[in-house]
């Protein structure tokens, strides 16, 4: 069965510093991987996805994620955090043959000025 | 263009009552999903529809929950005999297709409170 783990409930980082939000996954085959963000009082928004090809995926708002097949990870990164990046981030996975997307529990990111 | 809309935005109901939650997906999107987000929890998959295919109901937590999608567009999630543990935010999402790696577009959610 598919599963997604976000090992950190919360990540704290100072503005201007690099940030990483971790995600590991488990699927029976090759995965589709996604990151979504939920800002306070706003709906979930798509950030980026990995389907195939280049392991480094670039997305919205300067975020990127690195797919690592051997470690079954898809960590979200940004070189320089902004206070406005503070939000709840969800990693999600779907296997190529499936239709159901499984979401992680979410990681709350706090960026301090 | 118009995004996914959900109504009502908030619903307070008494335990034991039935509720209906509505979702209007993005026009042309064939896939529609329902999720539940409880306080401090991630997204729990409930059900998805893809075109005219039979829906995947594997995530519905009990037979009190049901959903339908009329004309391949609007969807209604019905919860019968609501319980306090049903209190959560119910999110609807749509995508171009469930058959590929299309991202999902989420509505603002319906916050359900069962008293």
């Amino acid at each position: 069965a598919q599963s997604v783990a976000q090992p950190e409930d919360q990540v704290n980082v100072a503005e201007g510093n690099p940030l990483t939000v971790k995600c590991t996954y488990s699927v029976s085959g090759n995965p589709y991987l996604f990151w979504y963000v939920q800002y306070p009082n706003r709906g979930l928004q798509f950030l980026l996805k990995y389907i195939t090809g280049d392991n480094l995926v670039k997305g919205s708002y300067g975020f990127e994620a690195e797919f690592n097949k051997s470690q079954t990870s898809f960590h979200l990164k940004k070189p320089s955090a902004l206070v406005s990046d503070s939000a709840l981030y969800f990693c999600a996975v779907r296997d190529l043959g499936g239709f159901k997307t499984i979401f992680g529990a979410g990681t709350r990111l706090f960026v301090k000025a | 263009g118009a995004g996914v809309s959900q109504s009502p935005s908030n619903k307070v109901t008494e335990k034991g009552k039935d509720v209906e939650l509505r979702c209007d997906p993005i026009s042309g999107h064939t896939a529609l999903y329902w999720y539940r987000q409880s306080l401090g929890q991630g997204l729990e998959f409930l059900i998805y529809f893809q075109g005219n295919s039979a829906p995947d109901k594997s995530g519905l937590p009990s037979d009190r929950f049901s959903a339908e999608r009329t004309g391949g567009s609007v969807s209604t999630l019905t919860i019968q005999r609501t319980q306090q543990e049903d209190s959560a935010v119910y999110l609807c999402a749509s995508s171009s297709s469930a058959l590929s790696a299309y991202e999902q577009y989420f509505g603002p959610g319906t916050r359900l409170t069962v008293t």
Side-chain angles (χ1 to χ4, degrees), chain B residues 48-62:
Chain B
Y48 91 87
F49 299 86
Q50 167 60 36
N52 295 320
S53 302
D56 180 342
K57 304 179 181 180
S58 60
L60 295 178
S62 77

Side-chain angles (χ1 to χ4, degrees), chain A residues 35-51:
Chain A
W35 276 101
Y36 289 83
V37 59
Q38 188 173 38
Y39 296 104
N41 301 315
R42 290 169 62 179
L44 271 156
Q45 298 177 31
F46 166 77
L47 266 182
L48 51 79
K49 66 182 176 185
Y50 171 82
I51 303 174

